[in-house]
């Protein structure tokens, strides 16, 4: 009987700036470990259902974004920080990723990265359904099917289940990466790290 591969568990949120900075590194780690592990994304829910505006949080966010850019070189546009009528609610972005997981799991991480770029670099409103419908169309997904699923109670429940899973696993910050090998869990990163750190730790676990 074929043995189940170990699984990389990535807990993140598309609107978490450190997750945005980490995306190229995690992508490189996945490529390096392609044949050795499976990958599962869990939406952590950084600030789901939050009613503070971008303007309310602008000072706090700008400092983080500048630090992320400095360490990761990921590009940011800062104009969105002046928006007084745009909520920093991370639930819709997470729900969009969960919706794509339902429609085509193979592109989930690619879509996750596209949601990040849409927010951080293109400054699209993450509270508007059309923001994600247009992204889904760019991935050749049926826009109407995506819209119906995204707005459904089913997806609202599923994304909440991701948030609950993250909390139950004791994850307190994003990005967090664990390796699940059988019944064992190994912490690979809690915060931004380089791909090489993750690959090295996975290789060590797989040797044992």
């Amino acid at each position: 009987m074929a043995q189940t591969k170990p699984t990389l568990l990535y807990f993140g949120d598309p609107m978490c700036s450190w997750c945005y900075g980490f995306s190229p590194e995690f992508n490189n780690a996945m490529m390096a470990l392609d044949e050795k592990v499976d990958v599962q994304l869990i939406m952590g829910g950084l600030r789901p259902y939050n009613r503070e505006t971008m303007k309310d949080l602008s000072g706090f966010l700008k400092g983080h974004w500048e630090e992320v850019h400095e360490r990761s070189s990921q590009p940011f546009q800062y104009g969105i920080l002046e928006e007084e009528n745009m909520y920093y609610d991370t639930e819709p972005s997470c729900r969009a990723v969960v919706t794509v997981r339902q429609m085509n799991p193979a592109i989930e991480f690619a879509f996750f990265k596209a949601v990040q770029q849409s927010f951080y670099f293109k400054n699209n409103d993450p509270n508007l359904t059309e923001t994600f419908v247009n992204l889904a169309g760019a991935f050749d997904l049926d826009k109407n099917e995506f819209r119906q699923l995204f707005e459904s109670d089913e997806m609202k429940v599923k994304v909440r289940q991701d948030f609950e899973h993250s909390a139950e696993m004791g994850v307190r910050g994003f990005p967090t990466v664990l390796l699940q090998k059988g019944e064992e869990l190994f912490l690979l990163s809690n915060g931004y790290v380089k791909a090489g750190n993750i690959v090295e730790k996975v290789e060590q676990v797989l040797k044992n």
Side-chain angles (χ1 to χ4, degrees), residues 148-176:
Q148 287 181 338
L149 265 177
F150 175 75
E151 294 180 337
S152 70
D153 289 339
E154 179 189 3
M155 289 302 112
K156 291 173 183 176
V157 169
K158 281 189 178 293
V159 74
R160 190 183 287 271
Q161 288 172 343
D162 265 35
F163 300 158
E164 290 169 354
H165 183 191
S166 180
E168 287 165 5
M169 294 291 283
V171 175
R172 295 289 177 264
F174 311 111
T176 291

mmCIF file of all heavy atoms in Angstrom, residues 148-176:
data_model
loop_
_atom_site.group_PDB
_atom_site.id
_atom_site.type_symbol
_atom_site.label_atom_id
_atom_site.label_comp_id
_atom_site.label_asym_id
_atom_site.label_seq_id
_atom_site.Cartn_x
_atom_site.Cartn_y
_atom_site.Cartn_z
ATOM 1 N N GLN A 148 -21.761 32.932 -7.398
ATOM 2 C CA GLN A 148 -22.802 32.243 -6.629
ATOM 3 C C GLN A 148 -22.207 31.506 -5.431
ATOM 4 O O GLN A 148 -22.749 31.567 -4.326
ATOM 5 C CB GLN A 148 -23.561 31.263 -7.525
ATOM 6 C CG GLN A 148 -24.491 31.943 -8.523
ATOM 7 C CD GLN A 148 -25.243 30.941 -9.390
ATOM 8 O OE1 GLN A 148 -24.812 29.799 -9.552
ATOM 9 N NE2 GLN A 148 -26.366 31.366 -9.945
ATOM 10 N N LEU A 149 -21.096 30.824 -5.674
ATOM 11 C CA LEU A 149 -20.451 30.096 -4.577
ATOM 12 C C LEU A 149 -19.892 31.049 -3.523
ATOM 13 O O LEU A 149 -20.089 30.859 -2.316
ATOM 14 C CB LEU A 149 -19.315 29.231 -5.123
ATOM 15 C CG LEU A 149 -19.612 27.770 -5.447
ATOM 16 C CD1 LEU A 149 -18.374 27.111 -6.052
ATOM 17 C CD2 LEU A 149 -20.071 27.005 -4.224
ATOM 18 N N PHE A 150 -19.197 32.080 -3.986
ATOM 19 C CA PHE A 150 -18.564 33.041 -3.081
ATOM 20 C C PHE A 150 -19.588 33.677 -2.148
ATOM 21 O O PHE A 150 -19.310 33.888 -0.951
ATOM 22 C CB PHE A 150 -17.842 34.121 -3.900
ATOM 23 C CG PHE A 150 -17.262 35.236 -3.072
ATOM 24 C CD1 PHE A 150 -16.107 35.041 -2.321
ATOM 25 C CD2 PHE A 150 -17.861 36.486 -3.047
ATOM 26 C CE1 PHE A 150 -15.571 36.073 -1.556
ATOM 27 C CE2 PHE A 150 -17.333 37.525 -2.287
ATOM 28 C CZ PHE A 150 -16.190 37.314 -1.542
ATOM 29 N N GLU A 151 -20.761 33.988 -2.663
ATOM 30 C CA GLU A 151 -21.792 34.661 -1.871
ATOM 31 C C GLU A 151 -22.679 33.692 -1.100
ATOM 32 O O GLU A 151 -23.582 34.119 -0.367
ATOM 33 C CB GLU A 151 -22.643 35.553 -2.785
ATOM 34 C CG GLU A 151 -21.833 36.727 -3.369
ATOM 35 C CD GLU A 151 -22.649 37.633 -4.267
ATOM 36 O OE1 GLU A 151 -23.688 37.165 -4.797
ATOM 37 O OE2 GLU A 151 -22.250 38.808 -4.430
ATOM 38 N N SER A 152 -22.425 32.394 -1.238
ATOM 39 C CA SER A 152 -23.280 31.385 -0.610
ATOM 40 C C SER A 152 -22.976 31.227 0.881
ATOM 41 O O SER A 152 -21.864 31.482 1.342
ATOM 42 C CB SER A 152 -23.111 30.035 -1.306
ATOM 43 O OG SER A 152 -21.828 29.486 -1.030
ATOM 44 N N ASP A 153 -23.994 30.783 1.623
ATOM 45 C CA ASP A 153 -23.799 30.477 3.045
ATOM 46 C C ASP A 153 -22.791 29.353 3.209
ATOM 47 O O ASP A 153 -22.043 29.318 4.196
ATOM 48 C CB ASP A 153 -25.137 30.083 3.687
ATOM 49 C CG ASP A 153 -26.079 31.269 3.823
ATOM 50 O OD1 ASP A 153 -25.596 32.424 3.808
ATOM 51 O OD2 ASP A 153 -27.298 31.046 3.943
ATOM 52 N N GLU A 154 -22.754 28.432 2.250
ATOM 53 C CA GLU A 154 -21.834 27.297 2.311
ATOM 54 C C GLU A 154 -20.383 27.767 2.425
ATOM 55 O O GLU A 154 -19.613 27.267 3.258
ATOM 56 C CB GLU A 154 -21.997 26.416 1.079
ATOM 57 C CG GLU A 154 -21.048 25.232 1.051
ATOM 58 C CD GLU A 154 -21.052 24.480 -0.279
ATOM 59 O OE1 GLU A 154 -21.759 24.913 -1.219
ATOM 60 O OE2 GLU A 154 -20.329 23.471 -0.377
ATOM 61 N N MET A 155 -19.992 28.726 1.592
ATOM 62 C CA MET A 155 -18.613 29.205 1.625
ATOM 63 C C MET A 155 -18.335 30.036 2.879
ATOM 64 O O MET A 155 -17.219 30.017 3.409
ATOM 65 C CB MET A 155 -18.294 30.033 0.369
ATOM 66 C CG MET A 155 -18.196 29.212 -0.897
ATOM 67 S SD MET A 155 -16.948 27.895 -0.831
ATOM 68 C CE MET A 155 -17.983 26.442 -0.848
ATOM 69 N N LYS A 156 -19.354 30.731 3.370
ATOM 70 C CA LYS A 156 -19.180 31.494 4.612
ATOM 71 C C LYS A 156 -18.942 30.557 5.795
ATOM 72 O O LYS A 156 -18.176 30.874 6.708
ATOM 73 C CB LYS A 156 -20.392 32.394 4.850
ATOM 74 C CG LYS A 156 -20.477 33.528 3.832
ATOM 75 C CD LYS A 156 -21.762 34.331 3.953
ATOM 76 C CE LYS A 156 -21.833 35.399 2.860
ATOM 77 N NZ LYS A 156 -23.099 36.148 2.876
ATOM 78 N N VAL A 157 -19.581 29.398 5.746
ATOM 79 C CA VAL A 157 -19.359 28.387 6.782
ATOM 80 C C VAL A 157 -17.984 27.754 6.616
ATOM 81 O O VAL A 157 -17.240 27.564 7.587
ATOM 82 C CB VAL A 157 -20.463 27.300 6.734
ATOM 83 C CG1 VAL A 157 -20.090 26.111 7.615
ATOM 84 C CG2 VAL A 157 -21.803 27.886 7.159
ATOM 85 N N LYS A 158 -17.627 27.439 5.364
ATOM 86 C CA LYS A 158 -16.346 26.766 5.115
ATOM 87 C C LYS A 158 -15.157 27.635 5.515
ATOM 88 O O LYS A 158 -14.168 27.137 6.068
ATOM 89 C CB LYS A 158 -16.243 26.358 3.638
ATOM 90 C CG LYS A 158 -17.022 25.083 3.301
ATOM 91 C CD LYS A 158 -16.718 24.609 1.901
ATOM 92 C CE LYS A 158 -17.466 23.323 1.588
ATOM 93 N NZ LYS A 158 -16.990 22.189 2.406
ATOM 94 N N VAL A 159 -15.222 28.930 5.233
ATOM 95 C CA VAL A 159 -14.093 29.785 5.602
ATOM 96 C C VAL A 159 -14.009 29.921 7.122
ATOM 97 O O VAL A 159 -12.917 29.946 7.697
ATOM 98 C CB VAL A 159 -14.150 31.162 4.903
ATOM 99 C CG1 VAL A 159 -15.229 32.067 5.499
ATOM 100 C CG2 VAL A 159 -12.784 31.846 4.988
ATOM 101 N N ARG A 160 -15.163 29.940 7.776
ATOM 102 C CA ARG A 160 -15.151 29.992 9.239
ATOM 103 C C ARG A 160 -14.534 28.705 9.820
ATOM 104 O O ARG A 160 -13.841 28.737 10.832
ATOM 105 C CB ARG A 160 -16.576 30.187 9.778
ATOM 106 C CG ARG A 160 -16.626 30.502 11.269
ATOM 107 C CD ARG A 160 -18.052 30.618 11.760
ATOM 108 N NE ARG A 160 -18.689 31.839 11.317
ATOM 109 C CZ ARG A 160 -18.649 32.982 11.985
ATOM 110 N NH1 ARG A 160 -17.952 33.065 13.114
ATOM 111 N NH2 ARG A 160 -19.270 34.043 11.528
ATOM 112 N N GLN A 161 -14.770 27.592 9.138
ATOM 113 C CA GLN A 161 -14.159 26.329 9.561
ATOM 114 C C GLN A 161 -12.638 26.386 9.459
ATOM 115 O O GLN A 161 -11.925 25.842 10.301
ATOM 116 C CB GLN A 161 -14.717 25.170 8.727
ATOM 117 C CG GLN A 161 -16.160 24.817 9.062
ATOM 118 C CD GLN A 161 -16.763 23.805 8.095
ATOM 119 O OE1 GLN A 161 -16.238 23.575 6.994
ATOM 120 N NE2 GLN A 161 -17.875 23.200 8.496
ATOM 121 N N ASP A 162 -12.134 27.062 8.412
ATOM 122 C CA ASP A 162 -10.686 27.269 8.296
ATOM 123 C C ASP A 162 -10.167 28.077 9.489
ATOM 124 O O ASP A 162 -9.144 27.735 10.095
ATOM 125 C CB ASP A 162 -10.345 28.008 6.999
ATOM 126 C CG ASP A 162 -9.971 27.074 5.858
ATOM 127 O OD1 ASP A 162 -10.557 25.976 5.776
ATOM 128 O OD2 ASP A 162 -9.088 27.431 5.052
ATOM 129 N N PHE A 163 -10.874 29.160 9.818
ATOM 130 C CA PHE A 163 -10.462 30.006 10.950
ATOM 131 C C PHE A 163 -10.427 29.177 12.246
ATOM 132 O O PHE A 163 -9.492 29.289 13.043
ATOM 133 C CB PHE A 163 -11.422 31.184 11.138
ATOM 134 C CG PHE A 163 -11.533 32.120 9.953
ATOM 135 C CD1 PHE A 163 -12.657 32.925 9.803
ATOM 136 C CD2 PHE A 163 -10.530 32.202 9.001
ATOM 137 C CE1 PHE A 163 -12.776 33.795 8.736
ATOM 138 C CE2 PHE A 163 -10.637 33.074 7.918
ATOM 139 C CZ PHE A 163 -11.764 33.871 7.789
ATOM 140 N N GLU A 164 -11.456 28.345 12.424
ATOM 141 C CA GLU A 164 -11.553 27.524 13.638
ATOM 142 C C GLU A 164 -10.445 26.469 13.675
ATOM 143 O O GLU A 164 -9.870 26.201 14.739
ATOM 144 C CB GLU A 164 -12.935 26.874 13.715
ATOM 145 C CG GLU A 164 -14.056 27.872 13.992
ATOM 146 C CD GLU A 164 -15.448 27.281 13.795
ATOM 147 O OE1 GLU A 164 -15.543 26.116 13.336
ATOM 148 O OE2 GLU A 164 -16.427 27.990 14.099
ATOM 149 N N HIS A 165 -10.142 25.895 12.517
ATOM 150 C CA HIS A 165 -9.069 24.905 12.418
ATOM 151 C C HIS A 165 -7.744 25.543 12.828
ATOM 152 O O HIS A 165 -6.961 24.967 13.601
ATOM 153 C CB HIS A 165 -8.999 24.372 10.988
ATOM 154 C CG HIS A 165 -7.976 23.295 10.789
ATOM 155 N ND1 HIS A 165 -7.605 22.851 9.536
ATOM 156 C CD2 HIS A 165 -7.218 22.591 11.655
ATOM 157 C CE1 HIS A 165 -6.686 21.904 9.660
ATOM 158 N NE2 HIS A 165 -6.425 21.736 10.932
ATOM 159 N N SER A 166 -7.493 26.727 12.332
ATOM 160 C CA SER A 166 -6.268 27.455 12.658
ATOM 161 C C SER A 166 -6.169 27.687 14.165
ATOM 162 O O SER A 166 -5.119 27.443 14.772
ATOM 163 C CB SER A 166 -6.247 28.787 11.908
ATOM 164 O OG SER A 166 -5.091 29.527 12.197
ATOM 165 N N ALA A 167 -7.262 28.120 14.764
ATOM 166 C CA ALA A 167 -7.272 28.384 16.211
ATOM 167 C C ALA A 167 -7.070 27.096 17.002
ATOM 168 O O ALA A 167 -6.327 27.064 17.996
ATOM 169 C CB ALA A 167 -8.578 29.053 16.607
ATOM 170 N N GLU A 168 -7.716 26.035 16.561
ATOM 171 C CA GLU A 168 -7.598 24.743 17.251
ATOM 172 C C GLU A 168 -6.169 24.199 17.199
ATOM 173 O O GLU A 168 -5.729 23.496 18.119
ATOM 174 C CB GLU A 168 -8.560 23.726 16.626
ATOM 175 C CG GLU A 168 -10.018 23.975 16.980
ATOM 176 C CD GLU A 168 -10.980 23.214 16.083
ATOM 177 O OE1 GLU A 168 -10.500 22.411 15.237
ATOM 178 O OE2 GLU A 168 -12.202 23.412 16.224
ATOM 179 N N MET A 169 -5.451 24.531 16.138
ATOM 180 C CA MET A 169 -4.060 24.077 15.996
ATOM 181 C C MET A 169 -3.095 24.937 16.809
ATOM 182 O O MET A 169 -1.897 24.696 16.828
ATOM 183 C CB MET A 169 -3.652 24.102 14.525
ATOM 184 C CG MET A 169 -4.404 23.106 13.652
ATOM 185 S SD MET A 169 -3.981 21.391 13.995
ATOM 186 C CE MET A 169 -2.397 21.275 13.177
ATOM 187 N N GLY A 170 -3.646 25.974 17.454
ATOM 188 C CA GLY A 170 -2.810 26.829 18.284
ATOM 189 C C GLY A 170 -2.022 27.863 17.517
ATOM 190 O O GLY A 170 -1.073 28.451 18.055
ATOM 191 N N VAL A 171 -2.393 28.104 16.261
ATOM 192 C CA VAL A 171 -1.685 29.092 15.448
ATOM 193 C C VAL A 171 -2.088 30.496 15.903
ATOM 194 O O VAL A 171 -3.264 30.827 15.941
ATOM 195 C CB VAL A 171 -2.001 28.896 13.946
ATOM 196 C CG1 VAL A 171 -1.367 30.007 13.121
ATOM 197 C CG2 VAL A 171 -1.505 27.528 13.481
ATOM 198 N N ARG A 172 -1.093 31.298 16.240
ATOM 199 C CA ARG A 172 -1.359 32.643 16.770
ATOM 200 C C ARG A 172 -0.838 33.754 15.862
ATOM 201 O O ARG A 172 -1.091 34.929 16.112
ATOM 202 C CB ARG A 172 -0.720 32.780 18.159
ATOM 203 C CG ARG A 172 -1.340 31.848 19.206
ATOM 204 C CD ARG A 172 -2.745 32.295 19.583
ATOM 205 N NE ARG A 172 -3.367 31.372 20.523
ATOM 206 C CZ ARG A 172 -4.185 30.383 20.177
ATOM 207 N NH1 ARG A 172 -4.468 30.181 18.892
ATOM 208 N NH2 ARG A 172 -4.717 29.593 21.087
ATOM 209 N N GLY A 173 -0.086 33.393 14.840
ATOM 210 C CA GLY A 173 0.438 34.410 13.932
ATOM 211 C C GLY A 173 0.618 33.836 12.545
ATOM 212 O O GLY A 173 0.681 32.619 12.368
ATOM 213 N N PHE A 174 0.667 34.713 11.573
ATOM 214 C CA PHE A 174 0.778 34.288 10.175
ATOM 215 C C PHE A 174 1.957 34.998 9.508
ATOM 216 O O PHE A 174 2.252 36.138 9.840
ATOM 217 C CB PHE A 174 -0.523 34.613 9.431
ATOM 218 C CG PHE A 174 -1.748 34.158 10.163
ATOM 219 C CD1 PHE A 174 -2.627 35.085 10.715
ATOM 220 C CD2 PHE A 174 -2.006 32.808 10.334
ATOM 221 C CE1 PHE A 174 -3.743 34.676 11.403
ATOM 222 C CE2 PHE A 174 -3.122 32.386 11.027
ATOM 223 C CZ PHE A 174 -4.005 33.323 11.564
ATOM 224 N N PRO A 175 2.640 34.320 8.587
ATOM 225 C CA PRO A 175 2.413 32.940 8.162
ATOM 226 C C PRO A 175 2.999 31.940 9.161
ATOM 227 O O PRO A 175 4.012 32.216 9.808
ATOM 228 C CB PRO A 175 3.191 32.868 6.844
ATOM 229 C CG PRO A 175 4.319 33.845 7.027
ATOM 230 C CD PRO A 175 3.743 34.974 7.856
ATOM 231 N N THR A 176 2.343 30.797 9.282
ATOM 232 C CA THR A 176 2.861 29.674 10.058
ATOM 233 C C THR A 176 2.851 28.444 9.165
ATOM 234 O O THR A 176 1.861 28.185 8.474
ATOM 235 C CB THR A 176 2.016 29.427 11.316
ATOM 236 O OG1 THR A 176 2.197 30.508 12.236
ATOM 237 C CG2 THR A 176 2.421 28.130 12.007
#
